[in-house]
């Protein structure tokens, strides 16, 4: 979840949104309720991105959180702590705070267990806990605060309500900026929860703030060695479901326990697995039929029951079977095995998507949500001067390109994506799939001189402008190419030192299909689009 530098324009956009919020605070100084709402949004704008893990009970949220962080800090059993919202953020030392519904704050003792954290509420009933805050010195928590939420559709109505309340944005900002939704099969109630969350973000009705995870992917194929291949096929079918497409930008299969094993594998685990791999294959296969057989006190392998129980807890039966196969195939050390488990688990792909869609664009996501909330306040509480702020708000929205980029990135991964197949890789790269900095968008090494970046950007702009203006291109392809053209124009504007996002947005609106252009012409008029090329050189 490491985040490189952004594209240089995000900072300006955030500063503009911050200035609007400050002006609104002055405007509504006599209304304490509105001031509290605006101040909460202002504080969220300056804080880290919040990424919430949402799903039904036993969907694997806590296990996935541990895998993302690389430590066993979230409880995975059905204890009292899994019934409350818990925020995990980076801190110099381990620390646990309990925030009560009455506004009180308590510091809880930090207790370690098995290299991780053992959470307890210190005798406070879950109904009296607003949320927990856990600080942990893990670098993976630097880009974003990760939130573990209680299961939705829980048997306890109060438990499910805590998640809904946390995600709601009725009287203030939602508790999350983006969501990872874990599911085996989405239900109508799940879709309703995600739709309600997105209505309070910067792009209501869009799907750019949610990624779906086909969780516990190793169970899709009943634990067979090809289970993850089967899970990949299921994820592709799920991504084509219109209900899923309406609330999610991507679907990725992840075997959470396998991913956690890859991130926390110890040398002792590898030695034990190698012992099993070199034992009689037939006898070991019989042991691995069920968990009970594997943990029996008497076993035809020189491993104690405690060691076997530990392996089962850390890897599961599927992880043990896969590890033995990989060791027999030639893997000779713990590091290589851990890397292979991570790759096969799907966590690496999920981390890439989280970076592209969320953490690399954290400031933009928070700014878009802040504009959404500010717009609601200005319209629901009209006062003198509100119209002027609304005008400034709309100007900032027009200058933003991230939402269009993310939506196109999501659609490009579909079997019949709108980007031309020969240029799809370059198009996704220009849209920010590999990073939002100029060099990353252009596929050049970091530190490339600005002159070389400008040359590459102009070439890309001309190439994609030709695609957008091709009279033989279908409408979907031409529209997608115009989004890429707009990204190239913004990139050039930033390299040429145009002051602020607003100037870049104004330039981008001159590009065919830009936010400021009202397109009424049909496909048969596209051939004439080349007569109105924007000036991108300063």
């Amino acid at each position: 979840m490491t985040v490189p530098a952004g594209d240089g324009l995000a900072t300006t956009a955030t500063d503009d949104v911050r200035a609007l919020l400050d002006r609104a605070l002055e405007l509504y100084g006599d209304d304490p309720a509105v001031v509290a709402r605006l101040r909460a949004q202002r504080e969220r704008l300056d804080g880290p991105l919040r990424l919430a893990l949402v799903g039904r009970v036993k969907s694997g949220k806590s296990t996935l959180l541990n895998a993302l962080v690389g430590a066993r800090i979230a409880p995975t059993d059905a204890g009292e702590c899994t019934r409350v919202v818990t925020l995990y953020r980076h801190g110099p030392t381990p620390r646990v705070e309990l925030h009560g519904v009455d506004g009180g704050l308590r510091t809880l003792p930090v207790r370690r267990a098995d290299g991780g954290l053992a959470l307890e509420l210190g005798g406070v009933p879950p109904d009296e806990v607003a949320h927990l805050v856990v600080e942990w010195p893990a670098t993976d928590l630097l880009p974003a605060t990760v939130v573990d939420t209680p299961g939705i559709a829980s048997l306890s109505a109060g438990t499910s309500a805590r998640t809904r309340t946390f995600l709601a944005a009725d009287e203030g900002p939602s508790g999350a900026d983006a969501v990872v939704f874990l599911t085996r099969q989405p239900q109508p109630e799940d879709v309703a929860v995600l739709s309600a969350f997105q209505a309070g973000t910067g792009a209501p009705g869009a799907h750019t703030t949610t990624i779906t995870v086909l969780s516990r992917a190793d169970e899709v194929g009943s634990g067979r060695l090809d289970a993850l291949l089967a899970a990949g096929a299921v994820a592709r079918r799920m991504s084509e479901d219109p209900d899923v497409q309406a609330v999610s930008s991507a679907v990725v299969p992840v075997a959470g326990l396998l991913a956690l094993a890859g991130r926390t594998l110890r040398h002792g685990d590898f030695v034990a697995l190698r012992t099993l791999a070199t034992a009689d294959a037939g006898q070991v296969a019989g042991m691995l039929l069920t968990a009970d057989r594997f943990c029996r006190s008497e076993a035809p392998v020189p491993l104690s029951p405690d060691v076997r129980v530990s392996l089962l807890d850390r890897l599961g039966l599927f992880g043990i079977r896969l590890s033995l196969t990989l060791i027999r195939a030639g893997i000779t050390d713990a590091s290589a095995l851990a890397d292979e488990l991570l790759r096969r688990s799907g966590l690496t792909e999920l981390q890439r998507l989280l970076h592209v869609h969320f953490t690399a664009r954290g400031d933009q996501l928070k700014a878009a949500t802040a504009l959404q909330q500010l717009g609601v306040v200005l319209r629901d509480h009209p006062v003198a001067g509100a119209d002027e702020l609304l005008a400034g708000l709309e100007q900032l929205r027009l200058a933003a390109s991230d939402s269009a980029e993310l939506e196109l990135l999501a659609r490009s991964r579909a079997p019949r994506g709108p980007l031309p197949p020969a240029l799809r890789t370059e198009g996704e790269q220009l849209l920010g799939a590999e990073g939002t900095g100029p060099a990353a968008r252009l596929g050049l090494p970091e530190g490339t001189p600005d002159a070389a970046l400008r040359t590459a950007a102009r070439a890309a702009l001309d190439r994609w402008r030709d695609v957008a203006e091709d009279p033989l291109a279908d409408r979907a392809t031409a529209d997608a190419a115009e989004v890429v053209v707009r990204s190239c124009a913004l990139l050039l504007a930033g390299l040429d030192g145009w002051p602020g996002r607003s100037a870049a947005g104004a330039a981008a609106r001159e590009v065919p299909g830009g936010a400021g252009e009202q397109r009424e012409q049909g496909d048969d008029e596209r051939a004439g689009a080349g007569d109105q090329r924007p000036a991108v050189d300063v």
Side-chain angles (χ1 to χ4, degrees):
M1 294 174 64
T2 304
V3 183
D7 59 9
L9 296 174
T11 301
T12 302
T14 303
D15 289 343
D16 291 342
V17 174
R18 189 180 291 111
L20 274 182
L21 288 171
D22 289 341
R23 290 167 59 191
L25 283 168
E26 295 177 2
L27 196 64
Y28 290 96
D30 296 331
D31 191 331
V34 174
V35 166
R37 182 173 180 177
L38 292 173
R39 185 169 289 118
Q41 188 64 69
R42 178 70 163 76
E43 293 172 356
R44 282 288 302 280
L45 191 64
D46 293 331
L49 180 80
R50 288 188 181 183
L51 176 65
L53 306 185
V54 178
R56 292 181 169 244
V57 176
K58 305 302 290 184
S59 60
K61 299 185 298 297
S62 300
T63 300
L64 179 59
L65 188 150
N66 289 335
L68 288 170
V69 176
R72 294 173 177 262
I73 57 175
T76 56
D77 57 354
E80 58 182 8
C81 288
T82 61
R83 297 165 57 190
V84 301
V85 174
T86 306
L87 286 71
Y88 294 86
R89 67 189 185 194
H90 181 268
T93 58
R95 178 183 174 87
V96 182
E97 293 179 345
L98 186 151
H99 294 251
V101 295
D102 59 356
L105 175 65
R106 290 180 54 182
T107 300
L108 301 179
V110 176
R111 303 180 59 185
R112 295 176 179 269
D114 193 24
L117 179 67
L119 278 182
E120 296 179 357
L121 296 183
V124 180
D127 292 343
E128 299 179 11
V129 179
H131 59 268
L132 295 178
V133 175
V134 177
E135 293 186 355
W136 194 261
T139 56
D140 295 271
L141 288 173
L142 285 170
T145 294
V146 186
V147 186
D148 195 4
T149 63
I152 56 179
S154 169
L155 293 176
S156 169
T159 299
S160 299
R162 293 186 190 101
T163 297
R164 295 175 182 272
T165 301
F166 180 78
L167 295 177
D170 299 330
E171 297 298 330
S174 168
D177 300 300
V179 161
V180 173
F181 174 55
L182 288 80
T183 184
R184 300 294 298 277
Q185 180 60 50
Q187 302 297 322
E189 183 179 358
D190 305 333
V191 175
V193 170
L194 296 178
S195 298
F197 161 70
Q198 289 167 351
T201 65
H207 51 246
T208 55
T209 52
T210 301
I211 289 176
T212 295
V213 166
L214 177 62
S215 60
R216 304 174 72 157
D218 52 305
E219 298 178 5
V220 172
S222 301
R224 301 190 309 267
L225 285 177
D226 63 348
L228 298 179
L229 294 176
V234 172
R236 286 190 291 274
R237 290 197 298 271
M238 187 183 296
S239 67
E240 298 173 3
D241 185 336
D243 290 337
V244 176
Q245 289 180 341
V247 295
S248 180
S249 59
V251 180
V252 56
V254 177
L257 189 59
L258 189 67
L260 179 58
R263 296 218 60 186
T264 61
L265 191 71
R266 302 171 300 195
H267 179 70
D269 298 327
F270 178 79
V271 171
L273 289 167
R274 187 173 56 190
T275 300
L276 287 172
T278 55
D280 183 89
Q283 292 179 330
V284 172
M287 292 172 57
L288 288 171
L289 289 175
T290 66
D292 288 340
R293 288 192 179 193
F294 186 73
C295 297
R296 284 176 180 172
S297 57
E298 298 296 329
V301 293
L303 287 179
S304 69
D306 289 343
V307 171
R308 283 179 273 126
V309 168
S310 176
L311 284 179
L312 187 65
D313 176 62
R314 298 178 68 83
L315 287 93
L317 285 176
F318 175 78
I320 295 174
R321 293 191 192 107
L322 178 59
S323 297
L324 299 186
T325 301
L326 293 172
I327 292 173
R328 289 166 182 160
I331 286 184
T332 58
D333 61 78
S335 177
L337 178 60
D339 290 343
E340 191 63 20
L341 293 180
L342 271 178
R343 185 184 69 82
R344 292 172 180 262
S345 71
L347 183 69
T348 302
E349 173 63 10
L350 175 61
Q351 289 174 316
R352 187 187 72 81
L353 291 175
L354 293 179
H355 165 68
V356 170
H357 288 258
F358 300 151
T359 56
R361 303 173 189 257
D363 287 341
Q364 295 96 313
L365 287 176
K366 291 184 294 180
T369 300
L371 290 178
Q372 167 75 7
Q373 290 292 311
L374 178 58
V376 172
V377 168
L378 294 173
R379 282 183 279 269
D380 290 351
H381 304 276
V383 295
D387 289 343
E388 181 183 351
L389 287 184
L390 273 173
L393 184 152
E394 292 304 325
Q395 287 179 352
L396 288 179
R397 279 181 172 167
L398 287 174
S401 64
D402 295 89
S403 179
E405 287 183 342
L406 289 174
E407 289 191 69
L408 180 53
L409 276 174
R411 289 187 288 119
S412 75
R413 297 186 180 93
R416 293 175 294 276
L419 293 176
L423 294 174
R424 174 180 167 181
T425 299
E426 183 195 37
E428 291 183 345
Q429 200 168 54
L430 288 167
L431 293 169
E434 303 300 329
T436 56
R441 287 180 184 265
L442 295 168
L444 297 173
E446 289 296 329
T448 299
D450 285 354
L453 293 174
R454 289 190 188 94
T455 300
R458 289 192 183 98
L461 178 63
D462 289 341
R463 191 159 46 248
W464 282 93
R465 186 184 282 152
D466 290 341
V467 176
E469 297 168 357
D470 184 356
L472 300 180
D474 59 65
R475 184 59 178 263
T477 298
D479 287 347
E482 288 170 355
V483 175
V484 181
V485 167
R486 187 170 189 269
S487 295
C488 292
L490 285 168
L491 176 57
L492 267 174
L495 289 171
D496 286 332
W498 287 15
R501 184 111 188 173
S502 298
R509 288 195 292 276
E510 298 176 20
V511 179
E517 181 179 350
Q518 300 296 324
R519 300 182 56 202
E520 301 292 343
Q521 67 270 30
D523 287 352
D524 57 341
E525 297 177 356
R526 187 178 302 282
D531 299 332
Q532 299 178 356
R533 294 198 173 194
V536 295
D537 297 332
V538 177

